[in-house]
Amino acid sequence: MRFWPKEPFWQGVAVLVMAFLLIVFGIPYLPPLLGIPSAPIPNSVVVQYMLTALVGVLLWVSDNQTRWQQFKQPFHAVMVEERKKPIRMILLVLLPALIGFIAYGRVKPSLDAPPSFRAIHPAPPSSITFQGRTIEITGLENPLRTRGSLDDHYEEGKSIYYENCLACHGDLLDGLGHYSHGFNPTPLSFQDVGTIAQLAESFVFWRIAKGGVGLPNEGGPWNSAMPAWEEFLTEDEIWAVTIFLYEQAGKTPRTWEEHAEGGEH
Amino acid sequence: MALTPAGLLAQAAEAASQGTVSIPAYGSFPAPGNRVAIWVAAQVHLFFAAFVLGVPMFAVVAEAIGIFGNDTKYDKLAKEFTRLLLVSYSATAIWGAILAFGLITLYPGLWSYLARIFAPTMWVYVGLFFFESFTLYLYYYGWERWHDGRAKLMHWSLGILLNIWGTAVMFIANSWLTFMMSPPAEVMPDTAPGMVRLWSAFANATWMPINIHRVIANVVFGGAIVGAYAAYRFLTSKTDEERAHYDWMGYVGNMIAIGTLIVLPFAGYYLGREIYEYNQQMGITMMGGFMSWAWIIQAFLIGVLFLAGNYYLWVGMGRIPGAERYTPYTKWMLVVLVLGVIVWATPHTMIANRDELAAMGGTHHPFLGVLGVMSAKNTAVNLMILTTFLSFLLYRRANKRTVVPWARTGTMIQTAIFVLAAVIVLFYGVYGYFVTAIVRIGFSVYQVLAVLAAIGGVVTLDIMIMRGAESYGAIRWGQMPPRSQYALLILAVTFTWLMGLMGFVRSGIRQHWHIWEVMRDTSEFAATPPLGYAAQVISWCVVIFLGLVGFIFWVGSLAEKPITSHPRQDSLPSTDSRLASAPTGN
């Protein structure tokens, strides 16, 4: 390639620049051109990806003795050669300035809330108190799946959803209801492969019944405005809306046996 | 008061109110407190124990290669392994005693409860430990005396016996700690310890999965520490002969560590599955709850292991005549590994500030979210395993020229097997997004089987292809740049830290229970510490262990004789001008 540098040092720099452009601009803006949704990547993940790329570059330049010597040559030249003295002096100013700038960015006061360190799924309790009764969550199945007509339960769940859940979770169950933009993070999208598709119905029942206030202490603080629906719905109504969620989103609930797989990262 | 868990812990308060003398529920350790004191003692003991249990396994294999392959260099290697073992053994016992005394003085209630159930096994443990110690002394000190004929076979049998004692000791200790995680269903908070059936408590739900996982992990860990020892000795070597010996020893250590690491995830998967089956809540806490970030760190650390292990092999190709045929491929293997690490370590729930969350529409990235689930991660790790295996294969073939007439066809079949395995892994990885969870779980089995079948098939073919192969020249042992040895040191540090991290996860998922849902932790240290705090404690454990290991190995080296033989006398250019120009830059 005509524009591809020949020296390992500049090849490494070129790889890192390309990786940065791909991560910061490519991933957020290229998929939407093909109709695939995407978004800017959080800084924490950008740093993670770039560090991995940097390690990869360093391994590549040093796994061969000739390449390693060539890679080190520019550093050596800048450090000792007389004709590179101006570059040396510039670096002598720029490097401390850069470190100072990064340090300033880290310690300057900010009004932003600290980044959340959320767990993927809160661990459910083995039992909960539902409207004064104790319900064992472990091993619990949706009783409506073996009672009455599934179509009837679906229709009932649909009514309940549209009366109570639509405003936040949206018409398409994508978490983009009318009120959703007032929340940060937005309500969960049930279309996402990482939400109800990963969970047993008993887990969904627990979350609906207890809402954000019923989330466990560990893994907090939780950013959830979900009400505790046990205050407004009966047990069967919650099970019915659970059936609606899975049917409408085209997902299948996990069974208790399936959990033996292990979790999702 | 009944001798139930609650009863034991409440005895102190009752005794105090009655003015009688009794055992307090908890002792007191000055800063940093009971929990950290026990944590450090248990973890450092475990590091040493893993080393002294792992090393005999490959020492006895190396000795067998020496006996049956009639190759004395393996016999010398086995002896050197055992010497490391000998000097580490007392440290294992000392830290075991610290742990036991710590439990007795700081957690007397828990200790009393466990002792009432497991007392018979504790005596068996002591007996086996006694046999293990004396078998080790016989094994090491009898090495030169029993070095021929039947006596040598008897000596080798001692090595096997040493492994049997050691494994039995570990299995017993495993029963105590797994009981705390997964006590049998019939053990309730009000069950008196005397009523608990010993075998039921001993062979609890997670006992065998932990046994299997630890046996394999001990070999991995032992290999890594041996590799680090060899690296240290290589870097401080004064003669070419020593450098050649420790270069070879480091290579063997790396091969043992990385080769065994490949099967470790399957044992971990079995353990995770059993934890889920035992208790759903514990399983979700471990994988999806507040411990879930530990798995992202684990992915990074295992990524480091794969990268460092492969890097060591690629650098090592520089000392193999004929390896230049394969060096152009290493950059593509590196690309696969780096992409694998990126995918494996992509969190499903990302750390993001308020604006970033708003831009993503939640904590799941709309595009990268697909990399956060098991389908992507299984695919990434299987491809990394395949790539690592390819590195080993190229290393093995590097200085060999095939002579069988069908060598080219055979190599093409090997390539086809690799490609087929990769396609199967990718196919099931992608297809996994379009099926239900129960079907997707089955796919991970197909992926693993594809990789294992490929490894088996390719190795079998390779042995046949390489039959009677000619050499491009002997490996120039000792002509390794120092940075390759730092890769071995990184491997050892990473393995040690990783063990500490996963130990914290395994123990921490009990949360505020000494014994899960049987005996509650009512001390001031009942809360499970956050990951940052845990990382600090783990780091201290690693520093203590590696510091002591360094000291022990140094002490051990004081009395040794200089190395007088090396793996391939014929291949070592001891006075060769090539050594004078050997790469030394780092």
Side-chain angles (χ1 to χ4, degrees):
Chain A
M1 282 186 292
R2 190 175 165 191
F3 299 106
W4 188 245
K6 288 192 170 49
E7 299 80 15
F9 174 79
W10 292 110
Q11 286 175 340
V13 170
V15 168
L16 288 177
V17 169
M18 287 195 312
F20 183 77
L21 293 175
L22 179 69
I23 292 164
V24 175
F25 299 106
I27 292 176
Y29 301 112
L30 290 180
L33 298 178
L34 303 170
I36 303 168
S38 190
I41 302 177
N43 272 338
S44 64
V45 182
V46 172
V47 170
Q48 177 184 322
Y49 284 0
M50 286 306 298
L51 270 178
T52 312
L54 176 65
V55 168
V57 166
L58 289 175
L59 293 184
W60 173 70
V61 297
S62 64
D63 76 357
N64 173 288
Q65 188 61 19
T66 310
R67 189 158 53 231
W68 180 233
Q69 297 296 351
Q70 290 172 346
F71 174 77
K72 290 191 297 184
Q73 202 281 327
F75 292 98
H76 185 263
V78 167
M79 296 300 283
V80 299
E81 285 182 15
E82 186 58 31
R83 64 191 178 89
K84 303 277 186 185
K85 191 172 181 182
I87 299 175
R88 194 155 58 236
M89 300 311 289
I90 291 168
L91 287 177
L92 202 62
V93 174
L94 280 186
L95 279 180
L98 179 67
I99 292 167
F101 179 73
I102 293 170
Y104 171 73
R106 293 267 173 182
V107 300
K108 75 173 178 181
S110 166
L111 297 178
D112 291 340
S116 302
F117 196 56
R118 287 179 47 152
I120 298 152
H121 313 304
S126 53
S127 64
I128 60 171
T129 307
F130 182 87
Q131 297 173 348
R133 288 184 300 111
T134 299
I135 294 181
E136 292 291 328
I137 293 292
T138 306
L140 183 64
E141 304 284 355
N142 188 338
L144 299 191
R145 291 202 179 268
T146 53
R147 191 202 320 154
S149 156
L150 196 63
D151 289 341
D152 290 345
H153 300 318
Y154 170 82
E155 287 301 328
E156 188 192 359
K158 186 176 178 179
S159 299
I160 296 164
Y161 182 86
Y162 277 89
E163 285 168 14
N164 300 286
C165 318
L166 175 76
C168 295
H169 288 283
D171 199 17
L172 301 173
L173 280 67
D174 56 2
L176 298 176
H178 302 98
Y179 295 169
S180 66
H181 303 292
F183 300 118
N184 189 4
T186 51
L188 283 187
S189 162
F190 303 127
Q191 303 286 0
D192 191 321
V193 293
T195 58
I196 58 171
Q198 303 287 344
L199 303 167
E201 283 186 292
S202 59
F203 188 101
V204 178
F205 177 88
W206 166 57
R207 289 288 69 248
I208 295 172
K210 294 295 179 184
V213 291
L215 283 161
N217 289 334
E218 61 264 21
W222 301 97
N223 295 324
S224 173
M226 176 91 165
W229 287 100
E230 67 174 338
E231 307 288 337
F232 312 100
L233 301 174
T234 66
E235 185 179 347
D236 278 357
E237 284 173 333
I238 294 178
W239 285 123
V241 81
T242 306
I243 287 176
F244 170 77
L245 292 180
Y246 279 100
E247 295 295 318
Q248 193 67 12
K251 310 291 183 198
T252 309
R254 294 181 89 157
T255 64
W256 286 97
E257 288 75 23
E258 288 165 24
H259 278 293
E261 169 203 20
E264 305 278 356
H265 290 284
Chain B
M1 184 170 292
L3 286 173
T4 62
L8 285 164
L9 290 175
Q11 272 182 347
E14 188 180 316
S17 66
Q18 294 173 353
T20 58
V21 177
S22 184
I23 303 168
Y26 299 105
S28 174
F29 193 88
N34 291 8
R35 177 174 59 191
V36 171
I38 285 294
W39 187 348
V40 172
Q43 191 60 67
V44 178
H45 170 63
L46 201 77
F47 286 147
F48 276 108
F51 180 68
V52 300
L53 290 175
V55 171
M57 291 188 204
F58 48 80
V60 87
V61 171
E63 191 184 9
I65 296 172
I67 296 169
F68 301 111
N70 211 13
D71 194 340
T72 54
K73 71 174 184 286
Y74 280 96
D75 192 69
K76 289 181 190 303
L77 185 74
K79 189 181 178 190
E80 189 156 14
F81 285 156
T82 311
R83 187 164 53 78
L84 301 182
L85 185 63
L86 197 73
V87 290
S88 308
Y89 201 71
S90 55
T92 313
I94 290 166
W95 281 93
I98 294 172
L99 173 61
F101 295 149
L103 283 168
I104 292 165
T105 56
L106 303 178
Y107 293 88
L110 171 65
W111 177 261
S112 173
Y113 181 83
L114 289 175
R116 280 165 200 272
I117 296 173
F118 288 105
T121 66
M122 290 175 175
W123 287 110
V124 176
Y125 181 96
V126 170
L128 288 172
F129 193 69
F130 180 87
F131 287 127
E132 185 189 4
S133 307
F134 281 85
T135 307
L136 174 63
Y137 298 146
L138 276 174
Y139 187 56
Y140 181 72
Y141 290 108
W143 209 290
E144 299 305 328
R145 189 179 183 88
W146 301 312
H147 65 282
D148 284 319
R150 283 190 177 180
K152 183 64 178 167
L153 283 177
M154 187 208 72
H155 180 263
W156 181 57
S157 307
L158 283 174
I160 295 173
L161 203 58
L162 178 64
N163 277 288
I164 292 171
W165 298 140
T167 306
V169 162
M170 183 186 74
F171 278 21
I172 291 174
N174 286 351
S175 75
W176 307 335
L177 69 97
T178 51
F179 173 79
M180 292 167 69
M181 278 177 78
S182 53
E186 69 266 21
V187 181
M188 301 291 178
D190 57 355
T191 305
M195 300 302 291
V196 178
R197 286 178 297 136
L198 178 60
W199 181 247
S200 168
F202 191 90
N204 60 76
T206 55
W207 178 60
M208 193 46 75
I210 284 270
N211 288 340
I212 294 171
H213 194 272
R214 282 191 166 175
V215 165
I216 299 170
N218 289 348
V219 178
V220 177
F221 187 64
I225 298 297
V226 161
Y229 167 78
Y232 165 73
R233 297 302 302 266
F234 179 95
L235 292 170
T236 54
S237 289
K238 297 285 189 290
T239 66
D240 299 334
E241 221 169 13
E242 272 188 89
R243 249 190 297 280
H245 176 79
Y246 288 112
D247 181 12
W248 179 64
M249 190 176 180
Y251 164 72
V252 174
N254 180 56
M255 195 177 66
I256 291 166
I258 300 294
T260 319
L261 175 69
I262 286 174
V263 294
L264 192 57
F266 309 130
Y269 184 89
Y270 172 42
L271 173 59
R273 187 186 177 92
E274 289 301 311
I275 290 173
Y276 263 86
E277 293 231 336
Y278 176 76
N279 188 285
Q280 180 86 4
Q281 187 187 6
M282 196 189 267
I284 293 181
T285 299
M286 176 176 73
M287 299 299 294
F290 74 97
M291 287 287 186
S292 58
W293 267 93
W295 298 93
I296 296 297
I297 299 172
Q298 186 224 31
F300 257 123
L301 294 174
I302 295 181
V304 170
L305 296 178
F306 273 114
L307 287 169
N310 279 276
Y311 176 77
Y312 176 81
L313 290 175
W314 299 335
V315 176
M317 284 184 170
R319 55 161 151 60
I320 306 179
E324 54 281 352
R325 292 171 294 158
Y326 298 127
T327 46
Y329 302 117
T330 56
K331 65 173 172 287
W332 301 113
M333 293 194 281
L334 178 61
V335 167
V336 173
L337 290 175
V338 166
L339 289 177
V341 173
I342 282 176
V343 170
W344 202 7
T346 296
H348 193 195
T349 308
M350 295 181 174
I351 298 177
N353 63 30
R354 191 174 170 278
D355 295 334
E356 290 168 338
L357 282 177
M360 286 196 295
T363 53
H364 298 172
H365 192 277
F367 184 71
L368 294 177
V370 295
L371 303 183
V373 295
M374 237 18 180
S375 281
K377 295 181 191 308
N378 280 344
T379 304
V381 75
N382 278 298
L383 291 178
M384 287 166 76
I385 290 172
L386 263 184
T387 307
T388 303
F389 170 63
L390 181 60
S391 282
F392 271 112
L393 192 75
L394 296 185
Y395 187 96
R396 175 182 138 78
R397 293 181 70 149
N399 70 335
K400 294 191 176 76
R401 185 190 291 116
T402 54
V403 293
V404 292
W406 53 279
R408 188 177 170 80
T409 311
T411 304
M412 286 169 68
I413 295 172
Q414 284 180 310
T415 310
I417 292 173
F418 265 112
V419 172
L420 184 65
V423 167
I424 290 172
V425 168
L426 278 170
F427 170 76
Y428 281 114
V430 174
Y431 192 32
Y433 289 99
F434 301 98
V435 296
T436 59
I438 189 78
V439 181
R440 187 168 62 244
I441 295 161
F443 286 179
S444 62
V445 176
Y446 300 150
Q447 289 177 313
V448 167
L449 287 179
V451 170
L452 291 180
I455 291 174
V458 168
V459 166
T460 308
L461 263 177
D462 209 59
I463 291 168
M464 290 157 63
I465 292 171
M466 289 299 152
R467 195 164 290 161
E470 295 170 354
S471 172
Y472 279 102
I475 298 174
R476 298 186 291 268
W477 292 109
Q479 293 192 14
M480 277 286 262
R483 62 181 181 280
S484 64
Q485 306 303 305
Y486 296 130
L488 291 180
L489 294 172
I490 287 172
L491 274 177
V493 174
T494 310
F495 270 122
T496 312
W497 212 92
L498 187 57
M499 252 176 89
L501 178 74
M502 300 327 288
F504 163 67
V505 171
R506 187 198 58 71
S507 183
I509 55 175
R510 283 180 291 129
Q511 301 183 68
H512 49 271
W513 296 97
H514 287 314
I515 300 166
W516 179 256
E517 294 187 341
V518 172
M519 181 186 270
R520 189 182 284 273
D521 183 351
T522 56
S523 73
E524 60 182 303
F525 302 108
T528 307
L531 202 50
Y533 181 83
Q536 290 177 31
V537 178
I538 293 163
S539 299
W540 276 111
C541 293
V542 172
V543 168
I544 292 169
F545 170 70
L546 291 179
L548 287 174
V549 159
F551 177 74
I552 288 167
F553 288 169
W554 174 74
V555 168
S557 70
L558 289 180
E560 76 180 37
K561 293 173 185 169
I563 298 297
T564 52
S565 67
H566 48 74
R568 293 187 184 186
Q569 291 282 0
D570 59 324
S571 68
L572 185 72
S574 56
T575 54
D576 193 319
S577 59
R578 279 179 296 180
L579 265 184
S581 60
T584 54
N586 61 352

